[in-house]
Amino acid sequence: MKTPYKNIYNVLKLNRFVVLAVVVCALLSSTFSVWMVFNTNQKALDSAFAINTDGSIIPLKLVTQKENFRVEALAHLDLFHNYFYNIDASNYERNLEKALWLGNSSVDNLYRQKKADGVYNRLLQYSLVQKVLSIDSRINENNGSYSFTTTTIFEINRGSIIDTYELVSTGNLIMVDRNFPNNPHGLLITNYFENTLKKLNDES
Protein backbone atom coordinates (compact mmCIF):
# COMPACT_ATOMS: atom_id res chain seq x y z
CA MET A 1 0.00 0.00 0.00
CA LYS A 2 1.47 3.44 -0.95
CA THR A 3 2.00 6.11 1.71
CA PRO A 4 -0.11 9.16 0.85
CA TYR A 5 1.93 12.37 0.38
CA LYS A 6 0.98 15.42 2.44
CA ASN A 7 -0.20 18.43 0.59
CA ILE A 8 2.87 20.60 -0.02
CA TYR A 9 0.88 23.80 0.63
CA ASN A 10 -0.24 22.57 4.03
CA VAL A 11 3.34 21.74 4.92
CA LEU A 12 4.54 25.20 3.86
CA LYS A 13 1.73 26.88 5.83
CA LEU A 14 2.68 24.89 8.91
CA ASN A 15 6.35 25.78 8.50
CA ARG A 16 5.52 29.45 8.03
CA PHE A 17 3.36 29.43 11.15
CA VAL A 18 6.14 27.81 13.16
CA VAL A 19 8.70 30.34 11.87
CA LEU A 20 6.40 33.28 12.61
CA ALA A 21 5.68 31.94 16.09
CA VAL A 22 9.40 31.58 16.81
CA VAL A 23 10.12 35.10 15.50
CA VAL A 24 7.30 36.63 17.58
CA CYS A 25 8.47 34.79 20.70
CA ALA A 26 12.03 35.95 20.08
CA LEU A 27 10.91 39.57 19.66
CA LEU A 28 8.82 39.43 22.82
CA SER A 29 11.67 37.86 24.74
CA SER A 30 14.15 40.46 23.46
CA THR A 31 11.79 43.33 24.27
CA PHE A 32 11.25 42.00 27.78
CA SER A 33 15.00 41.58 28.29
CA VAL A 34 15.70 45.15 27.13
CA TRP A 35 13.00 46.48 29.43
CA MET A 36 14.43 44.53 32.37
CA VAL A 37 17.93 45.85 31.70
CA PHE A 38 16.64 49.43 31.40
CA ASN A 39 14.58 49.12 34.57
CA THR A 40 17.49 47.62 36.50
CA ASN A 41 19.81 50.36 35.24
CA GLN A 42 17.38 53.09 36.34
CA LYS A 43 17.12 51.57 39.78
CA ALA A 44 20.91 51.35 39.98
CA LEU A 45 21.24 55.02 39.00
CA ASP A 46 18.79 56.03 41.69
CA SER A 47 20.52 54.02 44.39
CA ALA A 48 23.93 53.36 45.81
CA PHE A 49 24.88 50.63 48.21
CA ALA A 50 26.98 50.49 51.32
CA ILE A 51 28.02 47.54 53.47
CA ASN A 52 26.79 47.71 57.03
CA THR A 53 28.93 46.52 59.94
CA ASP A 54 26.97 43.26 60.06
CA GLY A 55 27.57 42.60 56.36
CA SER A 56 24.11 43.61 55.16
CA ILE A 57 23.65 45.86 52.13
CA ILE A 58 22.15 49.28 52.77
CA PRO A 59 20.56 51.11 49.80
CA LEU A 60 21.25 54.83 49.71
CA LYS A 61 19.15 57.07 47.50
CA LEU A 62 20.90 59.65 45.36
CA VAL A 63 18.59 62.26 46.83
CA THR A 64 20.01 61.47 50.24
CA GLN A 65 23.52 61.53 48.82
CA LYS A 66 22.94 65.01 47.38
CA GLU A 67 21.56 66.21 50.69
CA ASN A 68 24.59 64.77 52.47
CA PHE A 69 26.89 66.40 49.91
CA ARG A 70 25.30 69.79 50.53
CA VAL A 71 25.77 69.44 54.29
CA GLU A 72 29.40 68.36 53.85
CA ALA A 73 30.03 71.15 51.33
CA LEU A 74 28.68 73.83 53.67
CA ALA A 75 30.77 72.44 56.52
CA HIS A 76 33.85 72.37 54.27
CA LEU A 77 33.35 75.99 53.20
CA ASP A 78 32.74 77.07 56.78
CA LEU A 79 35.93 75.33 57.88
CA PHE A 80 38.01 76.84 55.09
CA HIS A 81 36.82 80.43 55.56
CA ASN A 82 37.36 80.19 59.31
CA TYR A 83 40.91 78.94 58.84
CA PHE A 84 41.78 81.41 56.08
CA TYR A 85 40.28 84.58 57.58
CA ASN A 86 40.04 83.98 61.33
CA ILE A 87 43.68 84.78 62.08
CA ASP A 88 45.93 86.71 64.42
CA ALA A 89 49.65 86.96 65.13
CA SER A 90 49.65 83.77 67.24
CA ASN A 91 47.70 81.40 64.99
CA TYR A 92 47.91 82.62 61.38
CA GLU A 93 50.62 80.17 60.27
CA ARG A 94 48.81 77.18 61.76
CA ASN A 95 45.41 78.26 60.43
CA LEU A 96 46.66 79.03 56.93
CA GLU A 97 48.44 75.69 56.74
CA LYS A 98 45.14 73.97 57.55
CA ALA A 99 43.28 76.13 55.02
CA LEU A 100 45.68 75.16 52.22
CA TRP A 101 44.71 71.50 52.64
CA LEU A 102 41.11 72.41 51.74
CA GLY A 103 41.80 74.08 48.39
CA ASN A 104 43.92 73.65 45.28
CA SER A 105 46.55 75.94 43.75
CA SER A 106 44.05 78.81 43.41
CA VAL A 107 43.97 79.08 47.21
CA ASP A 108 47.74 78.73 47.44
CA ASN A 109 48.20 81.46 44.83
CA LEU A 110 45.93 83.81 46.78
CA TYR A 111 47.87 83.07 49.95
CA ARG A 112 51.17 83.82 48.20
CA GLN A 113 49.75 87.04 46.78
CA LYS A 114 48.60 88.20 50.21
CA LYS A 115 52.00 87.30 51.64
CA ALA A 116 53.76 89.26 48.89
CA ASP A 117 51.48 92.24 49.57
CA GLY A 118 52.56 92.25 53.23
CA VAL A 119 49.18 91.26 54.69
CA TYR A 120 50.68 88.84 57.22
CA ASN A 121 53.62 91.09 58.02
CA ARG A 122 51.18 93.84 59.03
CA LEU A 123 49.34 91.26 61.13
CA LEU A 124 52.56 90.65 63.07
CA GLN A 125 53.82 94.22 63.10
CA TYR A 126 50.64 95.76 64.50
CA SER A 127 49.36 92.71 66.46
CA LEU A 128 46.13 92.75 64.47
CA VAL A 129 43.30 90.37 65.25
CA GLN A 130 41.11 89.36 62.30
CA LYS A 131 37.95 87.65 63.55
CA VAL A 132 35.26 86.00 61.43
CA LEU A 133 31.75 86.99 62.53
CA SER A 134 29.60 85.06 60.06
CA ILE A 135 29.87 82.82 56.99
CA ASP A 136 26.98 82.41 54.55
CA SER A 137 27.50 80.04 51.61
CA ARG A 138 25.23 79.22 48.67
CA ILE A 139 25.91 76.12 46.57
CA ASN A 140 24.77 75.67 42.96
CA GLU A 141 24.77 72.46 40.91
CA ASN A 142 25.11 72.44 37.13
CA ASN A 143 25.38 69.11 35.29
CA GLY A 144 27.11 67.42 38.18
CA SER A 145 29.57 70.25 38.90
CA TYR A 146 29.27 72.41 42.00
CA SER A 147 30.02 76.10 42.45
CA PHE A 148 29.62 78.31 45.49
CA THR A 149 29.31 81.91 46.55
CA THR A 150 30.28 82.73 50.12
CA THR A 151 29.74 85.96 52.03
CA THR A 152 32.10 86.31 54.97
CA ILE A 153 31.73 89.06 57.53
CA PHE A 154 34.86 89.67 59.56
CA GLU A 155 36.35 92.40 61.71
CA ILE A 156 39.92 93.60 62.11
CA ASN A 157 40.77 94.75 65.61
CA ARG A 158 43.52 97.35 65.57
CA GLY A 159 43.33 98.05 69.28
CA SER A 160 41.56 101.39 69.40
CA ILE A 161 39.83 100.83 66.05
CA ILE A 162 37.69 97.93 64.87
CA ASP A 163 36.82 97.79 61.18
CA THR A 164 34.16 95.41 59.85
CA TYR A 165 34.32 94.03 56.31
CA GLU A 166 32.14 92.03 53.98
CA LEU A 167 33.96 89.67 51.61
CA VAL A 168 32.21 87.86 48.73
CA SER A 169 34.18 84.95 47.32
CA THR A 170 33.40 82.31 44.70
CA GLY A 171 34.79 79.01 43.51
CA ASN A 172 34.05 75.40 42.69
CA LEU A 173 34.00 72.19 44.68
CA ILE A 174 35.28 68.79 43.59
CA MET A 175 35.28 65.49 45.46
CA VAL A 176 38.59 63.98 46.54
CA ASP A 177 39.66 61.27 48.97
CA ARG A 178 39.08 62.09 52.60
CA ASN A 179 42.23 62.83 54.55
CA PHE A 180 41.51 63.07 58.26
CA PRO A 181 42.17 65.43 59.95
CA ASN A 182 43.56 67.54 57.08
CA ASN A 183 40.53 67.20 54.78
CA PRO A 184 37.73 65.47 56.70
CA HIS A 185 34.96 66.20 54.17
CA GLY A 186 36.73 64.85 51.08
CA LEU A 187 36.20 68.07 49.09
CA LEU A 188 38.57 70.49 47.41
CA ILE A 189 38.01 74.17 46.61
CA THR A 190 39.07 75.12 43.08
CA ASN A 191 39.01 78.39 41.10
CA TYR A 192 38.84 80.32 44.35
CA PHE A 193 38.49 84.07 43.90
CA GLU A 194 37.83 87.03 46.18
CA ASN A 195 35.25 89.02 44.22
CA THR A 196 34.47 92.02 46.41
CA LEU A 197 35.69 93.40 49.73
CA LYS A 198 33.61 96.15 51.31
CA LYS A 199 34.11 98.00 54.58
CA LEU A 200 30.86 98.08 56.51
CA ASN A 201 31.66 100.41 59.37
CA ASP A 202 34.33 101.86 61.64
CA GLU A 203 34.12 101.71 65.40
CA SER A 204 36.34 103.63 67.75
Side-chain angles (χ1 to χ4, degrees):
M1 183 178 179
K2 293 183 179 181
T3 303
Y5 292 102
K6 294 183 179 179
N7 189 311
I8 187 65
Y9 294 107
N10 291 335
V11 173
L12 291 175
K13 285 181 180 179
L14 179 61
N15 288 342
R16 185 172 61 180
F17 174 77
V18 172
V19 171
L20 287 175
V22 170
V23 170
V24 170
C25 289
L27 288 174
L28 290 175
S29 178
S30 299
T31 303
F32 180 74
S33 299
V34 170
W35 178 82
M36 285 295 293
V37 170
F38 177 78
N39 191 43
T40 303
N41 183 59
Q42 287 299 110
K43 288 182 178 179
L45 289 176
D46 289 338
S47 303
F49 299 91
I51 305 299
N52 200 357
T53 53
D54 60 0
S56 60
I57 296 177
I58 308 172
L60 302 173
K61 294 297 182 182
L62 280 182
V63 174
T64 304
Q65 288 182 323
K66 289 181 179 180
E67 290 176 353
N68 291 341
F69 175 86
R70 186 169 294 274
V71 171
E72 297 242 29
L74 290 173
H76 185 85
L77 292 171
D78 189 80
L79 192 63
F80 167 76
H81 286 84
N82 265 303
Y83 281 149
F84 203 73
Y85 298 104
N86 200 72
I87 54 177
D88 57 40
S90 65
N91 70 8
Y92 83 97
E93 288 184 331
R94 182 174 64 254
N95 279 11
L96 291 173
E97 181 181 356
K98 292 178 179 179
L100 292 176
W101 276 96
L102 307 179
N104 73 344
S105 59
S106 62
V107 174
D108 184 62
N109 290 338
L110 178 61
Y111 159 71
R112 292 177 184 275
Q113 182 62 50
K114 286 177 178 289
K115 188 175 182 180
D117 291 342
V119 171
Y120 306 120
N121 283 337
R122 288 193 294 274
L123 194 74
L124 292 172
Q125 184 177 357
Y126 301 107
S127 298
L128 303 180
V129 176
Q130 185 169 295
K131 181 181 179 182
V132 171
L133 302 178
S134 67
I135 300 170
D136 180 31
S137 297
R138 298 188 305 277
I139 300 171
N140 298 309
E141 179 188 3
N142 185 18
N143 295 326
S145 63
Y146 294 89
S147 61
F148 68 87
T149 300
T150 300
T151 302
T152 305
I153 308 295
F154 64 92
E155 65 181 20
I156 298 180
N157 189 326
R158 295 180 170 86
S160 59
I161 298 175
I162 299 177
D163 294 329
T164 304
Y165 296 87
E166 178 188 81
L167 171 70
V168 178
S169 56
T170 58
N172 298 95
L173 286 170
I174 61 174
M175 288 180 281
V176 296
D177 292 336
R178 294 178 190 268
N179 186 340
F180 187 84
N182 297 318
N183 191 335
H185 301 289
L187 296 170
L188 197 69
I189 294 170
T190 64
N191 303 318
Y192 186 69
F193 185 73
E194 292 182 343
N195 289 267
T196 60
L197 179 63
K198 178 174 64 176
K199 181 184 288 189
L200 299 181
N201 68 305
D202 294 307
E203 296 178 9
S204 301

